[in-house]
Amino acid sequence: GFSKQMVEILSRHNVAFSSFDIFSDEEVRQGLKTFSNWPTYPQLYVSGELIGGLDIIKELEASGELDTICPKAQKLEDRLKSLINKAPVMLFMKGNKQVTVDYETFDILEDEEVRQGLKSFSNWPTYPQLYVKGELVGGLDIVKELKESGELLPVLKGEN
């Protein structure tokens, strides 16, 4: 129950975290008690430093300090903007790139939140979605039209 309470507190405060099941590795379970000089679990670490167990986290939550100590999960819209602007040409697609052209990809099948959120963010319901310098160019049909008209390369270079 203590670990569940810790996860609930961290989730409630939108803290970006990952976890390790100490029952999956007895050596880690015992070694971490010695390493941290903390005999119980759960143990919360931020940037490699032990913050404490559930009681300390509850105290930090009550005092408001928890929000200043723990890193926040990035909001979806900020994450989408960051991904869109990761490279001058950004393609959201199923799978990963297979050609050696200077562009970045994001496999939408790997992250359902991005997959659904980008549809709303861009107001474009399908994939692939091609972005150049943070602006949506369009999907496959538009890319094909641009290629046929000879406009694709200037668009990819950000000349249009």
Side-chain angles (χ1 to χ4, degrees):
F2 293 142
S3 294
K4 183 179 178 187
Q5 288 179 57
M6 178 83 81
V7 167
E8 287 171 355
I9 291 169
L10 296 176
S11 296
R12 188 167 52 245
H13 286 266
N14 197 30
V15 173
F17 71 95
S18 61
S19 62
F20 179 83
D21 179 1
I22 53 160
F23 291 120
S24 69
D25 189 323
E26 186 62 25
E27 186 178 25
V28 169
R29 182 177 180 207
Q30 297 307 326
L32 194 56
K33 288 180 182 180
T34 304
F35 174 81
S36 65
N37 197 24
W38 196 269
T40 60
Y41 289 101
Q43 295 180 7
L44 180 67
Y45 289 79
V46 175
S47 301
E49 296 294 322
L50 176 66
I51 302 302
L54 182 60
D55 290 343
I56 288 176
I57 300 313
K58 284 181 174 180
E59 289 173 16
L60 291 170
E61 180 184 33
S63 72
E65 291 178 82
L66 186 64
D67 290 325
T68 62
I69 292 173
C70 294
K72 296 290 185 190
Q74 194 176 23
K75 290 182 180 160
L76 179 57
E77 186 170 322
D78 293 336
R79 191 167 165 221
L80 295 174
K81 286 178 182 176
S82 176
L83 286 168
I84 288 167
N85 289 290
K86 185 176 179 184
V89 176
M90 187 66 189
L91 175 65
F92 288 82
M93 60 187 245
K94 295 176 182 173
N96 291 306
K97 65 181 175 181
Q98 299 171 355
V99 295
T100 57
V101 176
D102 188 23
Y103 69 99
E104 290 289 329
T105 65
F106 184 88
D107 184 355
I108 56 157
L109 297 177
E110 296 293 319
D111 191 320
E112 188 64 21
E113 185 180 36
V114 168
R115 182 178 181 181
Q116 297 306 323
L118 191 60
K119 288 179 185 181
S120 299
F121 180 83
S122 65
N123 198 25
W124 197 271
T126 60
Y127 290 99
Q129 291 184 16
L130 177 66
Y131 289 78
V132 175
K133 295 186 177 177
E135 297 294 322
L136 176 66
V137 173
L140 184 58
D141 291 344
I142 290 177
V143 171
K144 283 181 177 179
E145 289 173 16
L146 290 170
K147 178 149 176 47
E148 288 169 11
S149 71
E151 296 175 66
L152 183 58
L153 194 54
V155 167
L156 292 177
K157 290 181 175 181
E159 296 172 358
N160 285 13

